[in-house]
Amino acid sequence: MFLPYGRQSIDESDIEAVAQVLRGDWLTTGPAVEKFERELGSVAGQSNPAVTVTSGTAALHVAYAAAGIGPGDEVVTTPLTFLATATCAAIQGATVVFADVSDDTGNLDPAAAAAAVTDRTRVISGVDYAGHPIDAPALRRVADDAGALLLEDAAHSIGGSLDGTPVGSLADITTFSFFPTKNLTTAEGGAVVSADTELLQRARTFKGIGMVRDPERLRSTDEGAWWYEMPELGLNYRLPDVLCALGSNQLTRLGRFKARRAEITARYSAGLADLDGVRLPAQRPGADPVWHFYPLRVLDGRRREVFDALRAAEIGVQVNYIPVHWQPWFADRGYRRGMCPVAEEYYEQEISLPMFPDLRDSDVDRVIEQVRTALGG
Ligand SMILES: *Cc1c(COP(=O)(O)O)cnc(C)c1O
């Protein structure tokens, strides 16, 4: 049987939570949204509620829009990420500047980010690759020196922490994704959290088509109860009650999901530790990751061979990620291979092994055995 590389954990209580909303009065923009937003804020260590949106991509778009970036501005980010971390800045008209990653974690390297900063840098965007938090204190210094915001794409890492500070309170603005393979799911969904109330208000306005009804924000106030205004442009990125109810119920199991992901990671590492020709994922002191996938590095140019052998054995491995600056859209704009050699070498070695809470120990053992067989050890 084919073993997927990631999948959701849905139980009867999730189904019941969704059914309850369907039987009620609000399908969208009702009490389940407010509840999920308060709970997410609290998981992120924020007193502000989160701003929920329809995907992790929407969360990034909303975050860049709230940061007010546009043509002439630069966003420094990592190429070892999903497209949206970079493209949502580009779609706002900003210039994306790729900086290299640290060789151990695959996260944005603060020294490389510092070297990429110019007087046009407005945002520095790190990604918690595979669930391991970014080096936020060092990136914070780079961002502060540049007069830029620090954004953390935490699509992989909700529930993690660094030196006791939860992911969601490490950067100026943090985005989450609730796609089925992520650490918790709302089918499609995402959120933005921040301690900056004004930034969050701009995010909320953007995801609601730029419309405001709050009397304090209106220019004309005596037109009548139907009145709304559009001070800013926006889009409809509202996450409905149906999906927020699923998210709230999933959140009650986030701790268990995280613990099981840690067990699976430890089992992979124990089973592969003595194998030559591979590198296992690093964990820095003070980092408390939520392992979103297991990034195994296969050395000596053997990645393709091991990947194909695992797929042939019905094991759903992935590669995370093709360096974003290699994509045709960026290549057409002058971005070149070789610009970020550490990230590019990381990509050339990487295979993501299956990781999801319902994965059984026997499945993990089968993956380990197949990796060992493929490498002849
Ligand atoms: C999944 C992911 C996104 C986008 O989230 P979607 O919900 O799929 O739109 C953004 N960044 C990273 C690092 C991701 O893994």
Side-chain angles (χ1 to χ4, degrees):
M1 216 194 70
F2 190 80
L3 190 63
Y5 113 98
R7 65 161 288 142
Q8 68 276 18
S9 293
I10 297 292
D11 70 9
E12 286 305 316
S13 72
D14 292 321
I15 295 168
E16 182 49 34
V18 170
Q20 255 186 31
V21 174
L22 290 173
R23 290 188 198 102
D25 293 330
W26 297 87
L27 292 186
T28 192
T29 319
V33 177
E34 283 175 32
K35 178 171 184 282
F36 188 41
E37 291 189 339
R38 278 194 309 276
E39 291 164 352
L40 283 171
S42 136
V43 168
Q46 297 288 353
S47 49
N48 288 327
V51 174
T52 51
V53 291
T54 48
S55 68
T57 302
L60 285 156
H61 192 190
V62 161
Y64 287 124
I69 60 160
D73 297 331
E74 292 178 357
V75 172
V76 173
T77 192
T78 163
L80 198 64
T81 184
F82 179 65
L83 304 169
T85 320
T87 58
C88 291
I91 216 163
Q92 288 300 96
T95 300
V96 178
V97 179
F98 292 102
D100 217 338
V101 302
S102 303
D103 177 55
D104 59 340
T105 58
N107 284 343
L108 184 61
D109 174 8
V117 160
T118 72
D119 56 6
R120 295 170 167 232
T121 306
R122 296 281 307 278
V123 180
I124 294 177
S125 298
V127 175
D128 298 332
Y129 180 84
H132 189 295
I134 49 170
D135 185 350
L139 288 170
R140 152 79 52 219
R141 283 190 293 276
V142 177
D144 286 351
D145 288 349
L149 288 178
L150 179 60
L151 182 152
E152 185 173 3
D153 178 347
H156 301 172
S157 58
I158 187 167
S161 67
L162 181 67
D163 298 324
T165 303
V167 166
S169 290
L170 294 164
D172 295 308
I173 189 161
T174 305
T175 62
F176 298 120
S177 163
F178 310 129
F179 188 73
T181 56
K182 304 291 165 78
N183 299 337
L184 70 95
T185 192
T186 61
E188 297 279 359
V192 175
V193 295
S194 177
D196 182 334
T197 308
E198 280 177 31
L199 200 69
L200 270 189
Q201 189 182 65
R202 288 199 294 277
R204 199 172 281 289
T205 304
F206 188 84
K207 80 132 189 207
I209 319 115
M211 289 164 66
V212 298
R213 293 175 187 276
D214 174 2
E216 281 176 24
R217 296 179 66 200
L218 297 179
R219 266 181 222 173
S220 320
T221 49
D222 53 1
E223 295 282 339
W226 64 85
W227 194 253
Y228 59 81
E229 292 178 3
M230 187 202 69
E232 304 283 347
L233 296 176
L235 290 163
N236 176 359
Y237 278 154
R238 293 187 301 253
L239 191 65
D241 278 52
V242 181
L243 299 183
C244 286
L246 175 57
S248 284
N249 204 66
Q250 288 259 305
L251 266 183
T252 63
R253 305 205 297 291
L254 180 60
R256 262 185 282 162
F257 292 163
K258 180 183 177 188
R260 180 61 188 146
R261 287 173 179 276
E263 271 174 20
I264 293 166
T265 300
R267 197 171 184 92
Y268 276 134
S269 290
L272 296 168
D274 66 330
L275 187 62
D276 288 332
V278 296
R279 262 181 85 182
L280 310 186
Q283 183 170 338
R284 290 195 180 176
D288 178 26
V290 184
W291 291 104
H292 169 52
F293 51 78
Y294 187 95
L296 179 71
R297 277 189 279 174
V298 181
L299 311 179
D300 312 315
R302 300 187 69 189
R303 189 266 302 273
R304 173 76 187 260
E305 175 192 340
V306 175
F307 183 96
D308 289 347
L310 290 168
R311 281 282 178 95
E314 309 240 293
I315 294 169
V317 283
Q318 289 285 0
V319 168
N320 299 96
Y321 289 93
I322 303 164
V324 177
H325 61 287
W326 288 14
Q327 293 298 339
W329 191 87
F330 285 103
D332 289 349
R333 284 156 184 80
Y335 296 77
R336 291 285 167 260
R337 292 189 182 210
M339 280 174 25
C340 294
V342 183
E344 291 172 45
E345 183 180 54
Y346 197 113
Y347 154 73
E348 278 157 5
Q349 298 173 340
E350 203 267 350
I351 295 180
S352 301
L353 302 183
M355 172 77 74
F356 51 93
D358 297 338
L359 195 64
R360 293 168 305 181
D361 284 352
S362 58
D363 296 324
V364 176
D365 293 345
R366 181 161 82 86
V367 176
I368 293 168
E369 200 182 286
Q370 292 292 340
V371 171
R372 299 188 72 101
T373 305
L375 282 165

